[in-house]
Amino acid sequence: DLSAKIDVEELHGEDRKLAETINNIGAGLLHAVDDSTKNERMKADLITNVSHDIKTPLTSIINYVNLIQREDVDNERVKNYVKILDEKSQRLKQLTEDLVEASKVSSGNVKLEMHKIDIVELVCQTGGEFNEKFEDKELTIVTKLPRQAVYIWSDGRHLYRVIENLYNNVAKYALQKTRVYVEVQADEERAVFSIKNVSARSLARENSEVEDLTERFIRGDSSRTTEGSGLGLSIAKNLTLLMGGMFDISVDGDLFKATIALPLYVEGQEERGQ
C-alpha cells in the first residue's frame, strides 16, 4: 500500500528520521506509479482514437477499390495496381483492428464471459480452419490430443482468438515443407495446449530475448516484409493472462514453441461465477 504512512508523532531521534525517510520513499513511488498509469492510459487512448480516425477514410478506400474491381478494365497493369491496393488496404484494416484490440487487452478493458469449454473440440475446430493455409505452405500437422473431452473454465470467444493467433503465427512464419506439432495435455488442475514449428527465419539472430516476441510490434521477421502486424502474440498473451491462464514461449535454435495453460472446469463453477 504505497499510500500508507508511518505515524512519526510518537517517534524520536533516528527512529523518526528513518520513518520520515520511508514515508518519503512511499510518496515518491506512489507518484511514479500514478504517472506511469496515466501515461499508459494516454497511450492506449491515443492508439484507440487514431485507429478509429483511420478507419473512416480506409473504409472509403476499400469500397472504391471494390467498385473498380467490378468494372471491366482491359489494362493488365491497372488490374495489378488495383490488386495491390486491395491487398494493402485489407492489411491496413487488419492492423487498425488489431491496434484497437491490443489497446483494450493491455489496459484490461475487456469483458470476460467465462464458461465451461471443451478445449480439445476448440483446437480441432481451429486447426480445421487452417488446413488450406497449411497446405499452401506444405506444412504437415501432427496432433496429439486426448480421446475424451477436456473441460476448462474460460471465455470461448477470447480463447478462440488466442489459439487462432498461434495458428496464424505458424502459417506466416513456419518453414515450408516442415511439420507442426499440436498437443493438448491435462493434469489434475489445468489443461495445457502447445504448438511447435520450425521458423523460416533464424529466431536466435532476429531476437536477443524470447520475451521480445510477445511485445507489441515485434516479429520474428525483422525486415517487416510479411503481412503480420506484430500484435498477434502480444494479444494472445494478454488475453490468456486475463482469463487466469499462463502463456509461455520458448525458442531452441529455430524451433518455436508456444504454450498456454488454463485452469480446468470445476463442477458447479457456473453457480459460483468464478
Side-chain angles (χ1 to χ4, degrees):
D1 182 3
L2 297 178
S3 62
K5 299 292 181 187
I6 299 173
D7 186 1
V8 298
E9 293 300 323
E10 303 294 328
L11 301 177
H12 305 281
E14 292 298 325
D15 289 342
R16 186 179 183 118
K17 287 182 181 179
L18 178 60
E20 289 173 344
T21 302
I22 293 173
N23 285 343
N24 289 335
I25 292 173
L29 286 171
L30 181 62
H31 183 67
V33 169
D34 283 344
D35 284 348
S36 177
T37 303
K38 182 179 179 182
N39 289 336
E40 283 297 319
R41 193 180 301 116
M42 287 177 65
K43 283 192 286 185
D45 289 344
L46 176 64
I47 290 172
T48 303
N49 291 335
V50 170
S51 298
H52 280 302
D53 289 342
I54 290 173
K55 285 181 83 172
T56 301
L58 179 60
T59 301
S60 296
I61 292 170
I62 292 172
N63 289 338
Y64 277 108
V65 168
N66 288 335
L67 289 172
I68 294 173
Q69 287 176 325
R70 294 177 185 177
E71 296 294 324
D72 187 15
V73 180
D74 294 329
N75 192 317
E76 288 299 321
R77 289 174 62 187
V78 173
K79 284 184 178 179
N80 189 46
Y81 296 155
V82 174
K83 180 185 176 188
I84 294 171
L85 274 172
D86 184 41
E87 291 173 354
K88 299 303 180 183
S89 60
Q90 291 297 334
R91 179 179 171 183
L92 185 55
K93 178 184 177 184
Q94 186 62 54
L95 175 58
T96 55
E97 290 173 353
D98 285 348
L99 275 169
V100 173
E101 184 170 9
S103 176
K104 287 181 178 179
V105 172
S106 62
S107 62
N109 188 23
V110 175
K111 183 181 179 181
L112 295 177
E113 295 182 3
M114 307 293 277
H115 298 286
K116 175 184 177 182
I117 296 166
D118 180 7
I119 190 171
V120 177
E121 182 182 352
L122 186 61
V123 168
C124 289
Q125 176 188 337
T126 311
E129 293 172 6
F130 279 84
N131 280 341
E132 188 175 338
K133 283 186 177 181
F134 285 175
E135 286 173 1
D136 290 342
K137 293 192 69 172
E138 298 181 67
L139 297 172
T140 303
I141 302 293
V142 181
T143 58
K144 186 178 178 182
L145 305 175
R147 293 176 181 269
Q148 69 280 6
V150 176
Y151 293 108
I152 59 171
W153 185 245
S154 185
D155 182 304
R157 185 170 64 88
H158 292 313
L159 179 58
Y160 171 77
R161 182 68 198 273
V162 170
I163 296 176
E164 180 192 38
N165 281 359
L166 293 177
Y167 271 92
N168 250 324
N169 190 68
V170 171
K172 290 172 186 174
Y173 302 119
L175 181 65
Q176 195 167 359
K177 297 182 180 180
T178 56
R179 294 183 181 88
V180 179
Y181 294 88
V182 174
E183 184 175 0
V184 173
Q185 293 180 322
D187 56 27
E188 295 180 355
E189 296 182 350
R190 62 181 191 166
V192 180
F193 165 83
S194 65
I195 186 166
K196 294 186 287 188
N197 69 276
V198 177
S199 174
R201 299 181 66 90
S202 172
L203 293 173
R205 184 174 69 249
E206 301 287 357
N207 296 280
S208 58
E209 297 291 340
V210 174
E211 290 78 9
D212 289 348
L213 292 170
T214 58
E215 294 300 316
R216 283 173 285 183
F217 304 109
I218 297 293
R219 288 184 285 175
D221 173 20
S222 63
S223 65
R224 307 187 72 82
T225 57
T226 57
E227 75 270 23
S229 65
L231 292 166
L233 292 179
S234 174
I235 291 171
K237 177 182 178 180
N238 287 322
L239 281 175
T240 304
L241 296 178
L242 281 174
M243 292 185 288
M246 180 275 293
F247 186 98
D248 181 65
I249 282 178
S250 60
V251 172
D252 185 359
D254 294 333
L255 178 66
F256 173 91
K257 180 179 180 181
T259 305
I260 62 172
L262 290 157
L264 292 177
Y265 167 78
V266 178
E267 201 66 40
Q269 207 156 7
E270 294 96 340
E271 287 76 12
R272 295 196 299 271
Q274 299 174 348

